[in-house]
Amino acid sequence: MINKDKLLEIAALFAIEGEISEVKALGEGFINDTFVVRTQGTAPDYILQRKNHIVFPDVPAMMENIRAVTEHIKSKVEDPMRETLTVVPAKDGKLYAEVDGNFWAVCRFIENTASYDRADTPELAYQGGVGIGRFQSLLADFEKPLHETIKGFHNIRHRFEQWDATIAANPAGRVAELSEEIGWIESRREEMLAFWSLVEQGVIPTHVTHNDTKISNILFDAPTGKVLCAIDLDTVMSSTSLNDFGDAIRSYTNTGAEDDPNLENVSMSLEMFRAYAEGYLSEQRTLCPAELQWLAFSARYITYEQVLRFLMDYIDGDKYYKIAYADHNLVRTRAQYKLLQSMEAQYDQMCEIVRSLA
Ligand code: ADP
Ligand code: GN1
Ligand code: MG
């Protein structure tokens, strides 16, 4: 825990307007620590974040990425202070502050917004799809190369290298009890590598993508309910647009929670799939035939990758994701696997929906 005085001291390193009245913890992200900084009177409020520099080894490069893409979006939208994040630099001009070996960053708090942990209505899923479709469209002509903030983030070939090394090392001594779960991963290895080969060969192109499109990383305009912008831009880099779609489907269509201990709650809602796909394709009009052909599969790909990542972290002794209880990563693994099975069972209908919308 970081105490209040320390947080105030860190916030004061940034070019913040007004007098700070309070700093309090916000959000339940698995990676960073997020705080809201309230100021007195009419001065804006801010988001202060301790960036996880184990997960993101080069925070300055990450902040350069975020600054570059948000400036690009600002140059194209009607309301640049609401339709994307605004990075607030430190008083020394850097986009971050390093304090006791930790990296901190600040952006403007966007007022009158709503954010959600789950999608309860097709309208919300539709709006979420619009949000990511628009995000990708706004960045389609972004040409500056971006830093790769996490190596091979959605590259399953790279993930298998980590996976094989983790299984071999067996750091927490858990491998023996996980033969069933490990089998889930191994039985789909070739099919997932076959998909990623298409990206490696350039059959499926790469673009600027968000890479972490779960519903809590989108802000909605509170008065209208319409989508406002994509936030949590730490993972913005070059990848396939399909990963953004797939990760969002993993999040929006789940009838249960990502870590639901009751597997009966978990399945993929085809209605939510249709709504998200409709919103996404209404804004993202430039997918090539190969991207459209593999769009539905991307949901299976990213959900599979998530099963692998949760299980790998469990095998590794819970070093990557924040956990709330001892076998949390195993519970997450099982719930995401149930979701994957539900997608596999409904795959023909998912493809049919994409065909009907494209
Ligand atoms: P984490 O890495 O912890 O997931 P996020 O950047 O996603 O951090 O922020 C956590 C939550 O804080 C979001 O889901 C959203 O509700 C809120 N939030 C983040 N940034 C802003 C912002 N600029 N304006 C308003 N709310 C925000
Ligand atoms: C993490 O940071 P957060 O909570 O938005 C993770 C995502 C996972 C997600 C699972 C940088 O997202 O890749 O899909 O948890 N982010 C990183 O909920 O690893
Ligand atoms: Mg987040």
Side-chain angles (χ1 to χ4, degrees), residues 7-273:
L7 286 169
L8 286 170
E9 201 181 292
I10 293 163
L13 297 172
F14 289 87
I16 280 175
E17 294 166 38
E19 287 292 312
I20 297 173
S21 51
E22 71 163 336
V23 183
K24 70 170 202 259
L26 183 80
E28 299 192 345
F30 297 175
I31 309 292
N32 298 317
D33 299 302
T34 305
F35 303 88
V36 56
V37 178
R38 301 275 175 207
T39 60
Q40 289 169 16
T42 55
D45 294 335
Y46 299 89
I47 291 283
L48 168 68
Q49 258 182 349
R50 177 165 63 178
K51 302 288 188 181
N52 184 326
H53 65 276
I54 311 292
V55 170
F56 298 102
D58 191 347
V59 175
M62 172 175 92
M63 293 310 298
E64 272 178 33
N65 280 0
I66 297 176
R67 166 79 136 213
V69 300
T70 53
E71 289 299 317
H72 187 86
I73 293 173
K74 282 178 191 301
S75 71
K76 299 173 92 174
V77 294
E78 257 173 47
D79 189 349
M81 295 308 283
R82 282 179 71 71
E83 290 181 57
T84 190
L85 291 178
T86 303
V87 175
V88 177
K91 286 173 179 159
D92 64 6
K94 295 200 180 95
L95 301 178
Y96 60 92
E98 192 181 345
V99 183
D100 306 331
N102 285 307
F103 288 82
W104 295 81
V106 170
C107 64
R108 287 275 282 261
F109 185 87
I110 307 173
E111 302 288 349
N112 299 319
T113 57
S115 67
Y116 302 90
D117 282 331
R118 51 176 298 135
D120 286 326
T121 62
E123 176 54 18
L124 196 57
Y126 178 89
Q127 285 298 321
V130 167
I132 288 301
R134 190 177 293 157
F135 179 82
Q136 292 183 349
S137 298
L138 286 165
L139 291 165
D141 60 345
F142 181 92
E143 274 168 0
K144 226 176 127 225
L146 290 169
H147 304 283
E148 191 178 24
T149 50
I150 299 180
K151 187 175 183 295
F153 192 50
H154 289 314
N155 173 344
I156 208 71
R157 197 179 301 284
H158 178 73
R159 292 294 180 187
F160 282 131
E161 284 167 21
Q162 297 176 324
W163 166 261
D164 291 338
T166 307
I167 301 261
N170 194 12
R174 290 171 167 170
V175 164
E177 70 203 48
L178 297 169
S179 54
E180 186 187 346
E181 289 82 357
I182 290 171
W184 300 341
I185 298 300
E186 294 302 339
S187 62
R188 294 164 176 84
R189 188 190 276 251
E190 294 313 318
E191 118 183 285
M192 296 301 160
L193 280 170
F195 169 77
W196 192 253
S197 295
L198 298 173
V199 178
E200 291 167 328
Q201 291 157 16
V203 175
I204 295 174
T206 52
H207 298 286
V208 178
T209 47
H210 183 288
N211 296 303
D212 189 3
T213 50
K214 66 183 185 186
I215 188 168
S216 60
N217 290 335
I218 289 275
L219 290 182
F220 299 83
D221 181 53
T224 62
K226 303 269 186 243
V227 70
L228 196 54
C229 60
I231 58 168
D232 205 346
L233 303 177
D234 299 357
T235 50
V236 165
M237 48 191 152
S238 180
S239 189
T240 146
S241 303
L242 302 189
N243 289 338
D244 284 353
F245 179 82
D247 197 33
I249 293 303
R250 182 185 73 77
S251 164
Y252 287 76
T253 68
N254 191 346
T255 54
E258 190 184 63
D259 59 352
D260 216 308
N262 182 357
L263 295 181
E264 283 179 12
N265 292 337
V266 178
S267 65
M268 190 202 74
S269 156
L270 214 48
E271 187 191 17
M272 299 297 257
F273 178 85

